[in-house]
Amino acid sequence: MNALRRIAPALCCTALCGLALTACGDDGLKGTVEDYDTVTVWSDPGPGGRQTGELTTLAPLTVSCYEDGWFKISYDGGSGYIDSGTSILSKKGEVAPGMVPTC
């Protein structure tokens, strides 16, 4: 019984990590921007980045990873970072940081 108590948490962690990684696949997690006028795309995460583009509602994009409050994305016409508070809808539901790997 004690061995089961030690193994069970490790098995749960392994299963959850596997689910998180398979949720995005090799190419990232595909989705669309939800209800916004525009979403600014930045060259780098954080205050040091420069604006490189804008996306509008229903613009398709791919989220490849999460880094300190930012999603790294690619879209038709470029790539960059958007604030992770941006609502992105995928086939798996609204994209959250735990659904994609860390950059």
Side-chain angles (χ1 to χ4, degrees):
M1 185 68 169
N2 284 338
L4 182 59
R5 285 186 181 168
R6 285 181 290 209
I7 294 172
L11 291 175
C12 287
C13 181
T14 302
L16 290 174
C17 290
L19 284 174
L21 292 175
T22 58
C24 62
D26 295 335
D27 298 327
L29 186 58
K30 295 182 185 324
T32 57
V33 173
E34 285 303 290
D35 193 18
Y36 291 89
D37 289 333
T38 59
V39 173
T40 302
V41 180
W42 300 92
S43 61
D44 297 296
R50 64 179 176 15
Q51 184 175 347
T52 61
E54 289 184 338
L55 299 173
T56 58
T57 300
L58 299 180
L61 55 83
T62 301
V63 180
S64 58
C65 60
Y66 170 80
E67 179 178 344
D68 296 326
W70 297 85
F71 285 128
K72 184 174 183 179
I73 63 153
S74 58
Y75 60 97
D76 185 27
S79 63
Y81 291 85
I82 60 173
D83 187 285
S84 65
T86 304
S87 182
I88 302 167
L89 187 61
S90 75
K91 290 182 180 180
K92 298 182 182 301
E94 187 167 3
V95 177
M99 296 173 72
V100 293
T102 303
C103 297

